[in-house]
Amino acid sequence: MTERAARRLMLVHAHPDDESINNGATMARYAAEGARVTLVTCTLGERGEVIPAELGHLNGTALGAYRRQELAAAVRELGVDDFRLLGGAGRYQDSGMMGLADNDDPGCLWQADVDRAAEHLVAVIREVRPQVLVTYDDNGGYGHPDHIQAHRVAMRAADLAADPAVRPDLGEPWRIAKVYWNRVPRSVAEAAFARLEGDLPGLPFGKSATVEDVPGVVDDERVTTRIDGTAYAAAKAAAMRAHATQIEVAEPYFALSNRLAQPLFTTEYYELVRGERAGEQDGEQDGGVETDLFAGTEEAAS
């Protein structure tokens, strides 16, 4: 982009497919509205479990290369053209699930020095100058080591990017106005799974997941922000389908490699953890829940 967009949103995710599952509707909506949406993915998901039998031969580096292509296809479906791999392709590898020997691989994200990894992200933050950053909570949503580490890197980078004493060679300092963590209100998840129970006989999945299987579920009062992406449901579903090695979609549901059905959410939820919560005049709705991630920020480039 030669001209800086007024609104700039950055998302930091662990693997290809996380962006579409967690934030696909949000990304599609803001991209369609003219915001610059920048995705930073920390690994290529080299240790993901492959669903289609015809792709079952893929693993390690070959799987990572394939998933990079899936990621490119997914963000196209979302209307996003700015996506980066932290430190470049293959710089940090998938760490596998928590507790596995894969976690000890010196090249995996879990073993990365957080400050050093954060410097790669600082360079992107200072280039893009986003007002809003979205990532996971401190448990990575569900305890995956790469999600936890992506959280640590994102939060650390937000601090370092604002400090003029840190790596001036990486660009001018930039303070991100608002930082959000991905969330799902418990009441919304419970209602969606109740619907799923009735729909399950007509789905290609044998069993249902549970509310506890959904990353980032919290009590409703922790949710500060709701983004209605229902107009972009088709784009989110298409992006998820692009990650065919990892996801099987049967709208409005999907399953991962465990083939346990779960809801495909097209309204997406967040918890504001840094920055000023918007006032009613800035875009709050019933109960003081924001309806715009940028509400209350200075949207013009500085």
Side-chain angles (χ1 to χ4, degrees):
M1 295 185 179
T2 57
E3 190 172 319
R4 196 184 299 278
R7 296 190 298 172
R8 302 176 299 280
L9 167 64
M10 180 175 291
L11 305 98
V12 177
H13 276 290
H15 315 104
D17 80 359
D18 293 326
E19 80 296 327
S20 298
I21 295 170
N22 288 277
N23 312 112
T26 299
M27 293 172 69
R29 172 177 163 174
Y30 281 111
E33 291 177 354
R36 178 173 183 174
V37 179
T38 299
L39 169 67
V40 180
T41 304
C42 295
T43 81
L44 288 171
E46 297 91 342
R47 292 188 167 102
E49 296 180 358
V50 177
I51 295 174
E54 64 273 19
L55 298 175
H57 63 283
L58 294 172
N59 60 73
T61 301
L63 177 57
Y66 195 92
R67 293 189 69 181
R68 184 180 183 182
Q69 295 175 13
E70 290 183 329
L71 177 60
V75 295
R76 281 197 301 270
E77 295 288 356
L78 300 175
V80 172
D81 58 12
D82 186 14
F83 68 102
R84 324 285 183 96
L85 297 167
L86 185 69
R91 176 65 181 82
Y92 299 106
Q93 297 176 15
D94 190 337
S95 307
M97 299 300 289
M98 186 67 83
L100 298 180
D102 297 331
N103 302 165
D104 299 324
D105 185 334
C108 77
L109 184 65
W110 187 239
Q111 293 297 324
D113 179 270
V114 170
D115 276 8
R116 193 165 300 172
E119 286 184 352
H120 296 301
L121 187 57
V122 166
V124 184
I125 291 171
R126 289 180 174 176
E127 172 199 340
V128 175
R129 303 169 81 81
Q131 296 101 339
V132 176
L133 174 69
V134 170
T135 191
Y136 314 102
D137 65 16
D138 54 1
N139 190 44
Y142 72 108
H144 192 294
D146 287 335
H147 287 238
I148 295 171
Q149 197 76 321
H151 158 87
R152 293 172 177 169
V153 169
M155 300 301 289
R156 182 61 174 150
D159 290 336
L160 296 178
D163 187 343
V166 172
R167 293 294 302 273
D169 58 307
L170 296 179
E172 293 294 321
W174 179 255
R175 186 184 69 83
I176 298 171
K178 301 176 82 173
V179 177
Y180 291 94
W181 293 345
N182 292 308
R183 293 301 191 197
V184 179
R186 188 168 299 280
S187 67
V188 170
E190 289 174 347
F193 274 96
R195 291 191 296 272
L196 170 56
E197 184 177 356
D199 293 342
L200 191 60
L203 297 177
F205 316 119
K207 296 181 180 180
S208 170
T210 68
V211 169
E212 287 67 35
D213 294 317
V214 177
V217 173
V218 292
D219 293 339
D220 290 29
E221 56 266 26
R222 298 232 359 223
V223 173
T224 62
T225 311
R226 177 179 64 248
I227 302 300
D228 182 356
T230 53
Y232 303 95
K236 175 167 180 169
M240 290 174 65
R241 282 194 180 93
H243 291 289
T245 61
Q246 307 299 304
I247 306 173
E248 185 177 353
V249 178
E251 293 177 75
Y253 305 105
F254 73 99
L256 302 173
S257 60
N258 58 16
R259 291 193 55 78
L260 297 178
Q262 56 181 298
L264 191 163
F265 295 108
T266 55
T267 295
E268 295 167 345
Y269 300 86
Y270 302 90
E271 179 183 2
L272 178 67
V273 296
R274 290 190 186 178
E276 293 296 321
R277 191 164 176 173
E280 186 173 354
Q281 72 278 6
D282 296 314
E284 284 188 345
Q285 226 179 38
D286 294 343
V289 177
E290 295 178 325
T291 57
D292 180 7
L293 296 174
F294 291 93
T297 68
E298 290 292 332
E299 294 183 1
S302 60

